[in-house]
Amino acid sequence: MSVIAVVGAQWGDEGKGRVVDYLAADADLVIRYQGGNNAGHTVINRHGHFKLHLIPSGICYPRTRNLLGNGVVINPPALVDELDALADAGIGSENLFISDRAHLVMPYHPLLDQLEERERGAAKLGTTSRGIGPAYVDKVARRGIRIIDLMDASVFEARLSSALDRVGRMVSGYFRAGGPDDPLADAIAEATDRDAIRDAYLAAGERLRRHVVDGRQLVERSMARGDRILLEGQLGTMRDLDWGVYPYVTSSSPIAGGASVGAGLPAVAIDRVLGIAKAYSTAVGAGPLPTELTDAVGERLRERGAEYGASTGRARRCGWYDAVTVRYSAQLAGYSAIALTKLDVLDGFAEIPICVGYRDPDSGRELDTIPASDELFARLEPVYEQRSGWQTDTTACRSWDALPPAARAYVERLEELAGVPISHVSVGPEREQMIVR
Ligand code: GDP
Ligand code: IMO
Ligand code: MG
């Protein structure tokens, strides 16, 4: 048996989906352990081009089981849509399993997400508006509705009723929303329509019923058989609820520590943790990104890397590789190795800076870790080390030796700065564009 956790080392969109799709060729079980349909995990293989939001990235291998773990929050109609889209592309879902303990994203969660963002005004977090934060709030507040509840119509209806009573009081009382001039008035009416929600959710629940299992037992049996298991994280360390740039974070734990709880296996069962890092930095949403480039160079990274959100289509903020962030993430998650993605995006650059530290312009102090204060983090300036580029196309390289020497030197320097070996280097989005060292 082997259990490998695949964890995002930066701000998300590092290429977790493509790496899981690559590794799942040798996996018996892939488990998504946190997050919801805020994810956009891109998988490109001989079956097509997929943007997976909830479904684990091992779904294209019919013999690989895929589990939505208890730590995930599930929007049932969105999951049904995702299954339908996969079916249209010829991908079956007999190998998809859903933990009965996973919590539901209800229609009022995206609404509350929007109302909270509206209330934050200029200080908004830039969430995906998928209701992920509010769904986890309900889970933590011990009033969430779970997949198991959806399997029993009378239980579901009773819980939906009491939830809607509360949500109605919050919307009109606390948010003072829903008046005739409120642009969200229609959205509020739709997200609190008891009969429509009951019908849509129970119908989706019926569609999902055959996939619902006791996730812990499935994992237990898989471990007992000696299966090879992959744990797939959503987002990256800098958006971790505890260790990311609070409050610009998601509401769960993408780091390896979250994998044990959210997948339902003992922490000591995780043999290896593979960090996924992009050869530069990107972020969607608000909050500090020290190496962000708002000039033509940033635009060039965005265009070359096709950096547009897979879930929301938003242009991703781009900047140079931040070695402080990746080392911090490696220390928190305990990486055995790193898979470095999108090296090819740097092919055309003559000079490639690497951020090796930060400087506080107010005090002149230098830092080599992530501060707790988002205010301090936002004003830090990157300290760069300059590397020369290779200016050669790497997309056809399939071995370490085939890479230009300057590209190898860049990867070796990142390895040194992270304190972790780089075991995989990807040079294009397709399954085969992967170099294994
Ligand atoms: P995830 O959320 O971590 O799974 O990453 P996303 O799928 O949101 O974003 C990664 C993007 O980069 C996707 O469009 C991938 O197809 C693409 N991609 C992944 N690896 C590579 C690579 O090595 N080179 C290039 N050019 N694109 C890549
Ligand atoms: P993958 O899995 C990039 C960002 C949002 C926002 C913050 C909180 O593809 O890496 P949320 O909706 O989770 O409450 O938003 O996290 N965010 C992502 N950024 N990729 C994602 O997923 C993201 N999921 C959420 O932009 O800053
Ligand atoms: Mg993504």
Coordinates of all heavy atoms in Angstrom, one line a residue, residues 11-13 16 38-41 125-129 132-133 234-235 239 249-250 284-286 314, ligand 2:
W11 N -0.7 29.6 -4.4 CA -2.0 30.2 -4.2 C -3.1 29.4 -4.9 O -4.2 29.9 -5.2 CB -2.0 31.6 -4.8 CG -1.4 32.6 -3.8 CD1 -2.2 33.5 -3.0 CD2 -0.1 33.0 -3.6 NE1 -1.3 34.3 -2.3 CE2 0.0 34.0 -2.6 CE3 1.1 32.5 -4.1 CZ2 1.2 34.6 -2.2 CZ3 2.3 33.0 -3.6 CH2 2.3 34.1 -2.7
G12 N -2.9 28.2 -5.3 CA -3.9 27.4 -6.1 C -3.5 27.4 -7.6 O -2.6 28.2 -8.0
D13 N -4.2 26.6 -8.4 CA -3.9 26.5 -9.8 C -2.5 26.2 -10.2 O -2.0 26.6 -11.2 CB -4.4 27.8 -10.5 CG -5.8 28.2 -10.3 OD1 -6.6 27.2 -10.2 OD2 -6.1 29.3 -10.1
K16 N -2.5 20.9 -10.0 CA -2.8 19.7 -9.3 C -3.5 18.7 -10.1 O -3.2 17.5 -10.0 CB -3.6 20.0 -8.0 CG -2.9 21.0 -7.0 CD -3.8 21.4 -5.9 CE -4.9 22.4 -6.4 NZ -4.5 23.7 -6.8
N38 N -15.5 25.2 -6.0 CA -14.7 26.3 -6.3 C -13.4 25.9 -7.1 O -12.8 26.8 -7.6 CB -14.3 27.1 -5.0 CG -13.7 26.2 -3.9 OD1 -13.9 24.9 -4.0 ND2 -13.1 26.7 -2.9
A39 N -13.1 24.7 -7.1 CA -11.9 24.2 -7.8 C -12.1 24.2 -9.3 O -13.2 24.1 -9.8 CB -11.6 22.8 -7.4
G40 N -11.0 24.4 -10.0 CA -11.0 24.2 -11.4 C -9.7 23.4 -11.7 O -8.7 24.0 -11.7
H41 N -9.8 22.1 -11.8 CA -8.7 21.3 -12.0 C -8.7 20.8 -13.5 O -9.6 20.1 -13.9 CB -8.7 20.1 -11.0 CG -8.4 20.5 -9.6 ND1 -8.2 19.6 -8.6 CD2 -8.3 21.7 -9.0 CE1 -8.0 20.2 -7.5 NE2 -8.1 21.5 -7.7
L125 N -13.0 39.8 -0.4 CA -11.9 38.7 -0.5 C -11.8 38.2 -1.9 O -10.7 37.6 -2.2 CB -12.3 37.5 0.4 CG -12.6 37.8 1.9 CD1 -13.0 36.6 2.6 CD2 -11.4 38.5 2.6
G126 N -12.8 38.5 -2.7 CA -12.7 37.9 -4.1 C -12.9 36.4 -4.1 O -12.2 35.7 -4.8
T127 N -13.9 36.0 -3.4 CA -14.2 34.5 -3.4 C -14.8 34.1 -4.7 O -15.1 34.9 -5.6 CB -15.3 34.1 -2.3 OG1 -16.6 34.6 -2.8 CG2 -15.0 34.7 -1.0
T128 N -14.9 32.8 -4.9 CA -15.5 32.3 -6.2 C -17.0 32.4 -6.2 O -17.6 32.0 -7.2 CB -15.1 30.8 -6.4 OG1 -15.6 30.1 -5.2 CG2 -13.6 30.6 -6.5
S129 N -17.6 32.9 -5.1 CA -19.1 33.0 -5.0 C -19.8 31.7 -5.2 O -21.0 31.6 -5.5 CB -19.7 33.9 -6.1 OG -19.0 35.1 -6.2
I132 N -18.8 28.3 -0.8 CA -17.9 27.4 -0.1 C -17.7 27.8 1.4 O -17.9 27.0 2.3 CB -16.6 27.2 -0.8 CG1 -16.8 26.9 -2.3 CG2 -15.7 26.2 -0.1 CD1 -17.6 25.6 -2.6
G133 N -17.4 29.1 1.6 CA -17.2 29.6 2.9 C -18.4 29.4 3.8 O -18.4 28.8 4.8
Q234 N -7.4 20.7 -2.8 CA -8.0 21.8 -3.6 C -7.3 23.1 -3.2 O -7.1 23.2 -2.0 CB -9.5 21.9 -3.4 CG -10.2 22.8 -4.4 CD -10.5 24.1 -3.9 OE1 -10.7 24.3 -2.7 NE2 -10.6 25.1 -4.8
L235 N -6.9 23.9 -4.1 CA -6.3 25.2 -3.8 C -4.8 25.0 -3.2 O -4.3 23.9 -3.4 CB -7.1 26.0 -2.7 CG -7.9 27.2 -3.3 CD1 -8.8 27.8 -2.3 CD2 -7.0 28.2 -3.9
R239 N -3.8 29.7 0.7 CA -5.2 29.9 0.9 C -5.7 29.0 2.0 O -6.9 28.8 2.1 CB -6.0 29.7 -0.4 CG -5.6 30.6 -1.6 CD -6.2 32.0 -1.4 NE -6.1 32.7 -2.6 CZ -5.8 34.1 -2.6 NH1 -5.7 34.7 -1.5 NH2 -5.7 34.7 -3.8
V249 N -8.4 33.7 2.5 CA -8.2 32.2 2.4 C -9.5 31.5 2.1 O -10.5 32.2 2.1 CB -7.7 31.7 3.8 CG1 -6.3 32.3 4.1 CG2 -8.6 32.1 4.9
T250 N -9.4 30.2 1.9 CA -10.6 29.5 1.7 C -11.0 28.9 3.1 O -10.2 29.2 4.1 CB -10.4 28.3 0.7 OG1 -11.7 27.8 0.3 CG2 -9.6 27.2 1.2
V284 N -5.8 34.0 -7.9 CA -7.0 34.6 -8.2 C -7.6 35.1 -6.9 O -7.5 34.5 -5.9 CB -8.0 33.6 -8.8 CG1 -9.1 34.3 -9.6 CG2 -7.3 32.5 -9.6
G285 N -8.3 36.2 -6.9 CA -8.9 36.8 -5.7 C -7.9 37.8 -5.1 O -6.8 38.0 -5.6
A286 N -8.4 38.4 -4.0 CA -7.7 39.5 -3.4 C -6.6 39.0 -2.4 O -6.5 37.8 -2.2 CB -8.7 40.4 -2.7
R314 N -11.8 34.5 -14.3 CA -11.1 35.7 -14.0 C -9.7 35.6 -14.4 O -9.0 34.6 -14.3 CB -11.2 35.9 -12.5 CG -12.5 36.3 -11.9 CD -12.5 36.6 -10.4 NE -12.4 35.3 -9.7 CZ -12.4 35.2 -8.4 NH1 -12.3 36.3 -7.7 NH2 -12.3 34.1 -7.8
Ligands
IMO2 P1 -8.0 25.3 -7.5 O1 -8.4 24.1 -6.8 C1 -7.5 29.6 -7.4 C2 -9.6 31.6 -4.1 C3 -10.6 32.7 -4.4 C4 -10.4 33.5 -3.2 C5 -10.2 32.5 -2.1 C6 -11.4 32.1 -1.3 O2 -8.3 25.3 -9.0 O3 -6.6 25.7 -7.2 P2 -13.5 30.6 -1.9 O4 -14.5 30.6 -3.0 O5 -12.7 29.3 -1.7 O6 -14.2 31.0 -0.6 O7 -12.5 31.8 -2.2 O8 -9.7 31.4 -2.7 N1 -9.9 30.3 -4.8 C7 -9.1 29.8 -5.8 N2 -8.1 30.4 -6.5 N3 -7.9 28.3 -7.7 C8 -8.9 27.7 -6.9 O9 -9.1 26.4 -7.0 C9 -9.6 28.5 -6.0 N4 -10.6 28.3 -5.2 C10 -10.8 29.4 -4.4 O10 -10.3 33.4 -5.6 O11 -9.3 34.3 -3.3

